[in-house]
Amino acid sequence: MRILIAALLATASLLSPLSGSAQSMDVEATIKSIDVKQLNLTLDDGKTYKVPEEFNFDGLASGVKVVVFYTVVDGTRVIDDLQVLSQ
């Protein structure tokens, strides 16, 4: 019986939608452009990152070096946190 339960738990963990796809990553780069209307930041790595609606753009401008912590959701890089390194 224990082996059956262990096998069922292992199978359930492999089939779980939460397993593996939502992984937080980070990148250190310089802001290339900001689109306040579309809620996007483009960094000098050439990639665009989506910010939450309540995001505060104060202190951010082109040329500011940042560390961006993000998660990829449905192919879109969504910012979880951002730290300014220099201005």
Side-chain angles (χ1 to χ4, degrees), residues 27-34 41-49 61-68:
V27 63
E28 184 176 325
T30 303
I31 297 174
K32 186 174 178 182
S33 66
I34 298 173
L41 290 178
T42 302
L43 303 181
D44 65 353
D45 65 356
K47 296 180 177 130
T48 301
Y49 299 81
S62 294
V64 174
K65 192 165 187 166
V66 294
V67 176
V68 174

Side-chain angles (χ1 to χ4, degrees), residues 21-70:
S21 64
Q23 185 176 6
S24 184
M25 295 169 269
D26 63 269
V27 63
E28 184 176 325
T30 303
I31 297 174
K32 186 174 178 182
S33 66
I34 298 173
D35 187 343
V36 178
K37 289 184 180 182
Q38 295 295 320
L39 298 172
N40 290 328
L41 290 178
T42 302
L43 303 181
D44 65 353
D45 65 356
K47 296 180 177 130
T48 301
Y49 299 81
K50 189 87 170 158
V51 298
E53 287 184 24
E54 67 276 358
F55 190 79
N56 185 354
F57 288 96
D58 292 345
L60 298 181
S62 294
V64 174
K65 192 165 187 166
V66 294
V67 176
V68 174
F69 299 90
Y70 68 96

